[in-house]
Amino acid sequence: MGADDNREIERKWRVKTLPEDLERYETIEMEQAYLNISPTVRIRKENSDFCLTYKGKGEGISHTEYNLPLDREAFYHMLPKCDGRIIKKTRYVIPLEGGLKAELDIFDEPFKPLMIVEVEFKSVEQAGAFIAPEWFGEDVSLDQRFKNAALAISEDFSPEDML
Amino acid sequence: MGADDNREIERKWRVKTLPEDLERYETIEMEQAYLNISPTVRIRKENSDFCLTYKGKGEGISHTEYNLPLDREAFYHMLPKCDGRIIKKTRYVIPLEGGLKAELDIFDEPFKPLMIVEVEFKSVEQAGAFIAPEWFGEDVSLDQRFKNAALAISEDFSPEDML
């Protein structure tokens, strides 16, 4: 979760080149799917943890977000109710300067070889002042196609268009 | 929502006799259904408002609760995903002494003529000290059968058993 008021401020980028020695970073195996797109109602498995996430309709790079615990049974009960496709990806958590973290998502089939990197900020000012590392590609924060929810329900997804 | 920490403290009762002149109280037409039972993930229509509610696994009369806004489209998108039956009821909001409110729920088919009255408290102490009005019936706070989620998925519901 983000700040006390449950506001999340995030930017996201394509990936130009992968950082070296990825295996030294913390990884999270994620599986997620959507009960609703807007507002977003998502269920997610993170390694052996499960949660329900609600994301309010945001503006630009900011939105409200609540992460609420689920158990395995609840997750698998709701999974067949979800829209479109299940997203599976491996997240690498890569420390950046200033206490920030890059979350590098490497998608599994059918979204492979898609990769997206996200950074969460404490304020809109901090987000604006951020200078992306060399390995980050184009900023796609406002490109709706790169929302995981949009990917899940896209019918004409072509990974090559998104690289 | 309850206190700042999203904790809800509620007691519920059967109804012995209906208060007179019910029509003078505020009413809410409710329609609700469940995506998951435990933890509870519920969608609800309250007059012309819509929300998603998450209730954590609680102990006794206390649990965490989050109420998050939905719109009409999101509500009707998720309604067919819900388990069991849709609960429709009219809620009468009846002021009690000490700033408390009785929420009297009169259920529609297939649960008619079921009636339940609930009171929400600020603390467990306040809940314990509460003296129920004459028109309240048996305290069923801990009777799992009277949970709306349990009603929705019950297969052998017999309204007569619950009066």
Side-chain angles (χ1 to χ4, degrees):
Chain A
M1 282 213 254
D4 290 344
D5 62 353
N6 297 302
R7 197 134 206 97
E8 286 246 327
I9 301 157
E10 282 172 352
R11 288 177 65 186
K12 67 171 74 173
W13 294 261
R14 298 175 198 246
V15 176
K16 195 157 66 188
T17 50
L18 280 180
E20 287 184 8
D21 300 332
L22 268 184
E23 59 277 13
R24 73 186 138 143
Y25 299 114
E26 178 197 349
T27 63
I28 308 170
E29 295 296 331
M30 292 186 163
E31 202 168 321
Q32 63 192 50
Y34 295 84
L35 290 158
N36 199 64
I37 301 298
S38 177
T40 297
V41 183
R42 180 188 74 198
I43 58 172
R44 181 189 266 176
K45 180 178 189 303
E46 298 186 7
N47 292 334
S48 55
D49 293 328
F50 302 88
C51 72
L52 177 80
T53 298
Y54 170 95
K55 295 189 192 191
K57 298 183 181 188
E59 300 215 344
I61 61 171
S62 158
H63 62 265
T64 54
E65 181 166 326
Y66 291 84
N67 288 293
L68 307 163
L70 294 178
D71 57 21
R72 175 179 296 273
E73 189 180 347
F75 177 82
Y76 285 107
H77 178 70
M78 289 190 277
L79 194 58
K81 301 174 187 278
C82 289
D83 303 321
R85 289 174 289 187
I86 299 169
I87 291 179
K88 296 183 187 182
K89 59 189 184 184
T90 302
R91 171 165 291 179
Y92 295 84
V93 183
I94 302 169
L96 301 176
E97 286 177 25
L100 295 170
K101 287 182 291 187
E103 295 177 331
L104 167 63
D105 287 350
I106 299 187
F107 289 72
D108 212 334
E109 297 295 355
F111 303 102
K112 200 173 173 178
L114 181 63
M115 299 187 287
I116 298 174
V117 58
E118 284 187 18
V119 179
E120 187 180 328
F121 300 96
K122 292 194 175 61
S123 69
V124 173
E125 293 69 30
Q126 186 188 34
F130 178 71
I131 295 170
E134 184 58 31
W135 61 274
F136 283 31
E138 182 193 355
D139 184 330
V140 292
S141 304
L142 302 179
D143 189 332
Q144 300 299 315
R145 295 176 304 153
F146 286 85
K147 289 187 133 172
N148 281 250
L151 289 173
I153 60 162
S154 64
E155 285 173 6
D156 57 350
F157 176 77
S158 166
E160 290 68 31
D161 295 344
M162 319 255 319
L163 296 177
Chain B
M1 283 213 253
D4 290 343
D5 63 353
N6 297 302
R7 197 134 207 96
E8 286 247 326
I9 301 157
E10 283 173 352
R11 288 178 63 186
K12 66 170 74 173
W13 295 261
R14 296 177 200 244
V15 176
K16 195 156 69 188
T17 50
L18 279 180
E20 286 184 8
D21 301 330
L22 268 186
E23 59 277 12
R24 75 186 136 143
Y25 300 114
E26 178 197 347
T27 63
I28 307 170
E29 295 296 332
M30 291 185 163
E31 201 168 321
Q32 65 191 50
Y34 296 84
L35 290 158
N36 199 64
I37 301 301
S38 177
T40 297
V41 183
R42 181 187 74 197
I43 58 171
R44 180 188 267 176
K45 181 179 189 301
E46 297 187 7
N47 292 333
S48 56
D49 293 327
F50 302 88
C51 72
L52 176 80
T53 299
Y54 170 94
K55 295 189 191 190
K57 297 183 181 188
E59 299 216 346
I61 61 171
S62 160
H63 62 266
T64 54
E65 182 166 323
Y66 291 85
N67 288 294
L68 306 164
L70 293 179
D71 57 21
R72 174 180 296 272
E73 190 180 346
F75 177 83
Y76 285 107
H77 178 70
M78 289 189 279
L79 194 58
K81 301 174 187 275
C82 290
D83 304 321
R85 290 175 288 189
I86 299 168
I87 290 179
K88 295 183 186 184
K89 59 189 183 182
T90 303
R91 171 166 293 180
Y92 294 85
V93 182
I94 303 169
L96 300 176
E97 287 176 23
L100 294 170
K101 288 181 292 190
E103 295 177 332
L104 167 63
D105 287 349
I106 299 188
F107 287 72
D108 212 333
E109 297 296 351
F111 303 102
K112 198 172 173 177
L114 180 64
M115 298 187 288
I116 297 175
V117 57
E118 284 187 18
V119 180
E120 187 180 328
F121 300 96
K122 291 192 177 60
S123 69
V124 173
E125 294 69 31
Q126 186 187 34
F130 179 71
I131 295 169
E134 184 58 32
W135 60 276
F136 283 30
E138 181 193 357
D139 184 331
V140 291
S141 303
L142 302 180
D143 188 331
Q144 301 298 315
R145 295 177 303 152
F146 285 85
K147 288 187 134 173
N148 281 251
L151 288 173
I153 59 162
S154 65
E155 284 173 7
D156 56 350
F157 176 76
S158 167
E160 291 66 32
D161 293 344
M162 318 248 329
L163 296 176

